[in-house]
């Protein structure tokens, strides 16, 4: 190590402490510049600086009156200041034996006055200095010395804050990567499990429609129940992921409430233990039809009633629905599921709604289950802008209840929902699907519907068959070799100029996939494993052009409103800027992907993310994080291309919603 200048006893530790802050050779910073200006003003000097001293130099983070970024350590005054624990003040350098012959006293900066205070870290290392210098001799008063001491502490606080922010940012990125890894895992798991499960459930449905003896029927029933239970577990996990990403919304469509409740009752009757009485009590004033989300009500009740039946060995399980309030256009209905089961300990009542949590560790072993049901129930109820409540006593029983407000269904809505014509004639359908099991299953199901079916194993084959034959409908798998479902659909729409209805069919569950399907030109979306009735209903809707508009994305303005502090003009200005700037950046992202420009993709994704976060678009923000990270590695995978396309479609949908507002 160079010994042309004095060294502190703890030099190696001091240098390590300096490096910890990552401050050397960084860009100018307003906080440091303001501190330097303050020193110059308080002390009335033309020269001031904040500097840090490494092995060989004094580097100026901020300076006034110096004009250089660094000087050799051996010619600096501050090489001596970092040896001290308090301020060094030289009133007249001409009278100081150590400095009177210094080149910066006799010439150079012509320093006549010097006051330097060491910048001391919380663990006691002097990593730099805060200085005031003048061309004339002077003496600081007590107030000026105190002010310099306070500013020096402020500089160290800024450095500490910077390291904490860097660490927070690092931890945030780790957390984001963990969320992305989880989402990616869930999507892939969904695809890998749903593909064979689709075949198992589908062929079991077909087998159940053939002539079977009593024992065979029992076996088929068992397989169907096992398949449905496995599907419920997968859907629980995927629903949780969708709720977290803000991608699950509550529908508003007319449905028959009484029929729905009786259907749930009949469905779960088969699970009732022999010593348990299972009751359904409906209020005489309860409406027949309401407007709401029938599927999510089903899901909530099946979870709650299923739990009640699972944990009740004797006594009764009672489901009741009561009309608690009626207005001109809505009903408030109280749903209750009450049992005489094992009950829940008082200290566990709050934690039972946490994911993967059950009231006791032994519960999973005794009764099974994922521990996800109540977590999803709670979040689904909150999406309805309601709360779930629970009363319970150990060995006495439990009651779960909530109140939903449903809009009244008009007579016209109720009739139109009930009316359904099933005569579609003899349709000729083209299936684009590469999985042999799924091909066989679809062939059997479509033939059962009385339709004709041709099969293409990839998009290219599908295009060729479409150019030779006339079809009424295309069932399109999204993941295929040669040309995937998106590319094939875009070719059919843009190159062949065909308006033939196309239904997307996929076992994948990627965030934003439905938006992307509709953007590519598809008419409807059927997730695998599909139920025959749902597939037939979807075929009917696209063939009669009675397709529901795709579910609009719900935008959470809570963070923006918090920033706006009630200023509507600010909020509107931010929305206007989003509409103006973000689509341009989305186009830049696509263009950079085409040009294989990793740096532009990384930079653009990073810039977009801050705007996306303001509008709480969590799913798009997570996609952008993984795009930024992968682009920084200098490679583009098919997954990155897919996520960039999802972001692009998501942005278009968000802008459309914002413009309507």
């Amino acid at each position: 190590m160079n010994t042309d200048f004095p060294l502190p006893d703890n030099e190696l530790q001091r240098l390590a402490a300096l490096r910890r802050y990552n401050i050397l050779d960084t860009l100018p910073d307003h906080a440091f510049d303001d501190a330097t200006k303050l020193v110059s003003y308080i002390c009335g000097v033309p020269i001031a600086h904040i500097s840090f001293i490494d092995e060989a130099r004094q580097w100026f983070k901020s300076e006034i009156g110096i004009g250089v970024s660094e000087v050799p350590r051996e010619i600096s005054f501050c090489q001596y200041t970092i040896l001290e624990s308090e301020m060094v003040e030289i009133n007249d350098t001409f009278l100081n034996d150590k400095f009177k012959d210094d080149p910066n006293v006799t010439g150079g900066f012509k320093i006549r006055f010097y006051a330097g205070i060491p910048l001391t870290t919380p663990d006691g290392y002097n990593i730099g200095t805060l200085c005031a210098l003048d061309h004339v001799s002077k003496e600081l008063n007590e107030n000026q010395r105190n002010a310099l001491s306070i500013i020096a502490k402020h500089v160290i606080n800024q450095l500490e804050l910077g390291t904490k922010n860097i660490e927070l940012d690092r931890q945030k990125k780790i957390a984001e990567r963990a969320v992305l890894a989880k989402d990616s895992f869930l999507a892939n798991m969904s695809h890998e499990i749903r593909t064979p499960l689709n075949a198992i459930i589908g062929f079991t449905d077909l087998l159940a429609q053939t002539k079977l003896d009593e024992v065979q029927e029992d076996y088929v029933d068992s397989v169907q129940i096992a398949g449905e239970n496995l599907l419920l577990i997968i859907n629980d996990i995927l629903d949780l992921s969708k709720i977290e990403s803000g991608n699950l919304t509550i529908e508003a469509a007319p449905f028959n409430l009484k029929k729905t409740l009786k259907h749930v009752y009949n469905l779960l009757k088969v699970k009732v233990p022999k010593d348990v009485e299972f009751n359904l009590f409906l209020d005489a004033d309860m409406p027949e039809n309401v407007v709401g989300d029938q599927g999510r009500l089903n899901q909530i009740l099946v979870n709650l009633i299923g739990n009640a039946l699972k944990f009740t060995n004797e006594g009764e399980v009672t489901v009741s629905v009561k009309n608690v309030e009626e207005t001109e256009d809505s009903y408030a209905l109280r749903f209750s599921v009450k049992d005489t089961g094992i009950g829940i300990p008082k200290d566990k009542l709050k934690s039972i709604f946490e994911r993967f949590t059950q009231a006791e560790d032994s519960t999973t072993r005794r009764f099974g289950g994922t521990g996800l049901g109540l977590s999803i129930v709670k979040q689904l109820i909150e999406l309805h802008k309601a709360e779930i409540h629970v009363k319970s006593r150990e060995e006495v029983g439990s009651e779960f209840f909530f109140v939903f407000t449903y809009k009244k269904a008009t007579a016209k809505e109720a009739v139109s929902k009930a009316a359904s014509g099933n005569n579609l004639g003899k349709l000729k359908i083209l299936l684009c699907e590469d999985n042999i099991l799924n091909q066989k299953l679809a062939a059997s199901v479509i033939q059962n519907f009385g339709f004709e079916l041709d099969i293409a194993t990839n998009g290219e084959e599908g295009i060729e068959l479409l150019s030779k034959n006339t079809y009424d409908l295309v069932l399109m798998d999204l993941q295929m070799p040669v040309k995937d479902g998106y590319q094939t659909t875009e070719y059919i729409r843009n190159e062949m100029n065909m308006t033939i209805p196309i239904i997307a069919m996929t076992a994948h569950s990627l965030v934003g996939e439905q938006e992307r399907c509709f953007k590519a030109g598809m008419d409807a979306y059927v997730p695998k494993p599909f139920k025959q009735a749902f597939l037939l209903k979807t075929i009917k809707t696209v063939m009669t052009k009675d397709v529901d508009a795709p579910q609009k994305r719900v935008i959470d303005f809570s963070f923006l409103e918090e920033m706006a502090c009630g200023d509507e003009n600010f909020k509107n200005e931010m929305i206007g800027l989003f509409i103006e700037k973000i689509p341009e950046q989305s186009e830049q992202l696509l263009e950079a992907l085409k040009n294989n420009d990793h740096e532009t993709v990384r930079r653009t994704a990073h810039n977009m993310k801050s705007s996306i976060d303001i509008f709480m678009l969590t799913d798009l923000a997570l996609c952008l994080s993984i795009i930024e990270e992968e682009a920084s590695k200098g490679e583009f995978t098919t997954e990155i291309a897919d996520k960039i396309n999802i972001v692009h479609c998501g942005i278009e949908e968000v802008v459309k919603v914002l413009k309507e507002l």
Side-chain angles (χ1 to χ4, degrees):
M1 186 174 282
N2 191 335
T3 54
D4 292 345
F5 40 79
L7 293 175
D9 295 335
N10 59 7
E11 177 69 356
L12 289 176
Q13 294 92 328
R14 188 191 74 80
L15 290 171
L18 172 61
R19 289 192 192 95
R20 190 172 69 229
Y21 292 106
N22 291 310
I23 191 70
L24 294 173
D25 300 308
T26 54
L27 294 169
D29 187 308
H30 290 305
F32 292 98
D33 290 344
D34 288 346
T36 306
K37 288 172 188 171
L38 199 56
V39 169
S40 174
Y41 174 75
I42 289 169
C43 298
V45 294
I47 304 172
H49 67 72
I50 295 166
S51 64
F52 298 96
I53 298 174
D54 66 9
E55 295 91 334
R57 60 181 175 150
Q58 177 179 15
W59 177 77
F60 300 106
K61 173 64 182 170
S62 176
E63 54 83 18
I64 291 173
I66 293 176
V68 295
S69 61
E70 60 184 64
V71 296
R73 179 170 172 175
E74 60 267 23
I75 69 165
S76 68
F77 284 24
C78 296
Q79 61 179 305
Y80 302 105
T81 305
I82 62 169
L83 301 174
E84 307 297 331
S85 58
E86 294 179 355
M87 182 186 296
V88 173
E89 183 177 351
I90 302 167
N91 306 115
D92 190 342
T93 54
F94 285 1
L95 305 177
N96 186 286
D97 291 338
K98 194 182 287 182
F99 294 113
K100 65 183 180 183
D101 297 321
D102 190 285
N104 276 318
V105 173
T106 57
F109 290 112
K110 296 183 178 177
I111 303 301
R112 190 80 183 270
F113 166 79
Y114 171 88
I117 186 165
L119 297 173
T120 308
T121 66
D123 44 0
Y125 298 108
N126 293 344
I127 58 172
T129 57
L130 174 77
C131 295
L133 304 98
D134 207 338
H135 305 303
V136 296
S137 62
K138 64 167 43 183
E139 184 176 348
L140 299 180
N141 61 40
E142 197 58 33
N143 287 337
Q144 289 171 319
R145 292 190 190 98
N146 286 338
L148 282 183
S149 181
I150 291 166
I151 295 169
K153 286 175 185 170
H154 167 73
V155 169
I156 288 294
N157 288 340
Q158 280 296 119
L159 291 175
E160 285 289 311
L161 186 62
T163 57
K164 285 184 174 67
N165 285 341
I166 289 167
E167 179 59 22
L168 279 173
D169 193 50
R170 192 177 72 82
Q171 293 296 338
K172 185 183 174 190
K173 283 180 178 171
I174 290 170
E176 284 174 347
R177 281 200 295 272
V179 171
L180 287 165
K182 180 207 72 174
D183 282 355
S184 184
F185 166 75
L186 289 175
N188 289 328
M189 182 196 73
S190 158
H191 184 262
E192 294 305 319
I193 296 177
R194 279 169 177 259
T195 298
L197 190 58
N198 179 43
I200 292 167
I201 291 175
F203 282 119
T204 308
D205 279 349
L206 291 170
L207 187 59
Q209 293 167 25
T210 63
K211 193 172 182 182
L212 304 170
D213 62 33
E214 202 171 316
V215 176
Q216 288 170 331
E217 274 185 15
D218 187 47
Y219 289 163
V220 169
D221 280 347
S222 297
V223 174
Q224 280 180 313
I225 290 165
E228 294 290 345
N229 285 343
L230 181 55
L231 189 57
L232 275 175
I233 292 169
I234 294 167
N235 286 341
D236 273 357
I237 295 167
L238 292 171
D239 275 353
L240 194 67
S241 177
K242 283 181 184 174
I243 291 167
E244 284 179 346
S245 67
N247 210 40
L248 192 147
T249 52
I250 299 303
E251 292 181 1
F255 69 95
N256 188 307
L257 181 59
K258 285 186 179 176
K259 199 178 280 186
T260 299
L261 294 165
K262 284 172 183 171
H263 167 74
V264 171
Y265 176 76
N266 291 330
L267 181 73
L268 294 171
K269 246 194 329 192
V270 294
K271 293 187 176 182
V272 179
K274 63 176 181 177
D275 295 327
V276 174
E277 187 181 334
F278 184 31
N279 304 307
L280 173 64
F281 295 138
L282 303 182
D283 192 342
D285 296 332
M286 199 190 80
E288 186 87 20
N289 296 291
V290 293
V291 175
D293 195 322
Q294 179 185 13
R296 296 304 168 190
L297 177 63
N298 252 349
Q299 192 176 0
I300 292 163
L301 292 175
V302 166
N303 256 307
L304 292 177
I305 299 167
N307 270 357
L309 292 171
K310 185 162 68 172
F311 298 127
T312 305
N313 295 319
E314 57 182 12
E316 61 184 15
V317 171
T318 301
V319 181
S320 60
V321 184
K322 185 175 176 60
N323 186 358
V324 291
E325 188 183 349
E326 183 177 347
T327 67
E328 194 177 324
D329 56 1
S330 68
Y331 300 102
L333 304 174
R334 184 184 189 272
F335 295 83
S336 163
V337 178
K338 195 172 185 179
D339 65 63
T340 57
I342 62 174
I344 303 161
K346 195 173 181 180
D347 61 331
K348 302 284 185 179
L349 280 174
K350 287 184 180 176
S351 64
I352 57 166
F353 293 107
E354 293 171 10
R355 74 191 63 180
F356 307 114
T357 302
Q358 298 189 332
E360 297 291 349
D361 292 339
S362 61
T363 303
T364 303
R365 290 195 299 277
R366 283 179 62 200
F367 299 100
T370 60
L372 280 172
L374 284 178
S375 173
I376 290 166
V377 162
K378 180 177 184 286
Q379 292 184 74
L380 286 175
I381 288 173
E382 286 171 354
L383 281 173
H384 280 82
K385 308 224 179 315
E387 288 181 4
I388 186 163
H389 303 275
V390 58
K391 296 177 187 171
S392 188
R393 282 174 60 198
E394 277 188 275
E395 306 307 327
V396 175
S398 307
E399 181 187 13
F400 290 83
F401 58 96
F402 56 93
V403 176
F404 275 178
T405 300
Y406 285 121
K407 284 185 179 176
K408 291 183 176 179
T410 64
K412 186 181 175 184
E413 283 175 324
V415 170
S416 66
K417 190 73 179 174
S420 61
N422 272 332
N423 186 13
L424 294 170
K426 199 167 180 67
L427 300 180
K428 189 168 183 183
I429 295 175
L430 172 64
L431 170 70
C432 297
E433 167 69 70
D434 64 317
N435 184 286
I436 295 171
L437 271 177
N438 287 341
Q439 288 175 2
K440 284 188 173 180
L441 172 61
S444 299
V445 170
I446 296 298
Q447 281 159 15
N448 267 9
F449 292 162
F451 306 146
E452 286 182 43
L453 184 74
D454 283 349
I455 296 172
T457 56
N458 60 57
E460 287 282 12
E461 283 185 24
I463 288 165
E464 194 177 333
L465 285 170
L466 268 173
S467 62
K468 291 178 183 174
N469 307 314
T470 302
Y471 296 99
D472 299 296
L473 172 74
V474 179
L475 299 177
M476 184 74 72
D477 184 40
L478 296 183
Q479 290 185 311
M480 295 182 292
V482 189
K483 252 189 172 62
D484 66 23
Y486 296 114
Q487 294 165 329
T488 307
T489 301
E490 283 165 3
Y491 188 90
I492 292 167
R493 294 290 185 241
N494 301 328
E495 302 299 322
M496 301 177 78
N497 293 317
M498 295 180 74
T499 57
I500 184 170
I502 300 174
I503 298 174
M505 299 180 72
T506 181
H508 225 309
S509 188
L510 285 170
V511 171
E513 194 171 51
Q514 287 192 53
E515 281 175 10
R516 195 176 164 200
C517 285
F518 291 118
K519 169 74 177 139
M522 299 180 207
D523 299 279
Y525 181 98
V526 173
K528 297 176 188 173
F530 60 82
K531 301 297 285 179
Q532 292 183 48
F534 184 73
L535 177 61
L536 183 59
K537 181 187 172 191
T538 307
I539 291 172
K540 175 184 163 290
T541 56
V542 298
M543 292 310 298
T544 56
K545 302 298 179 190
D546 185 24
V547 185
D548 292 335
Q551 187 70 45
K552 280 186 185 174
R553 180 183 281 270
V554 176
I555 300 174
D556 184 351
F557 289 107
S558 57
F559 181 68
L560 179 58
E561 282 163 356
E562 191 180 319
M563 286 172 62
C565 299
D567 185 346
E568 278 299 309
N569 289 334
F570 174 80
K571 181 181 170 184
N572 291 334
E573 188 181 342
M574 293 297 285
I575 291 171
L577 281 169
F578 187 100
I579 291 168
E580 181 188 348
K581 300 291 183 189
I582 296 299
E584 287 178 14
Q585 292 181 319
S586 180
E587 290 291 346
Q588 287 168 14
L589 206 57
L590 278 175
E591 192 61 33
L593 174 68
K594 286 178 194 167
N595 297 333
N596 214 30
D597 184 348
H598 302 100
E599 177 53 27
T600 300
V601 167
R602 186 200 65 76
R603 192 174 62 251
T604 307
H606 180 80
N607 291 341
M608 288 175 73
K609 194 168 168 298
S610 56
S611 303
I612 293 293
D613 283 338
I614 290 170
F615 288 82
M616 307 284 280
L617 303 166
T618 318
D619 57 326
L620 301 183
L622 289 174
C623 280
L624 286 166
S625 290
I626 201 166
I627 290 164
E628 181 187 355
E629 186 178 345
E630 291 301 310
S632 64
K633 293 177 185 174
E635 59 179 348
F636 287 143
T637 60
T638 51
E639 185 188 3
I640 294 306
D642 194 54
K643 288 198 181 298
I644 287 176
N645 279 313
I646 286 170
V647 167
H648 187 69
C649 294
I651 297 280
E652 286 194 343
E653 175 69 10
V654 170
V655 167
K656 197 186 297 178
V657 173
L658 290 175
K659 281 182 176 175
E660 286 174 7
L661 291 172

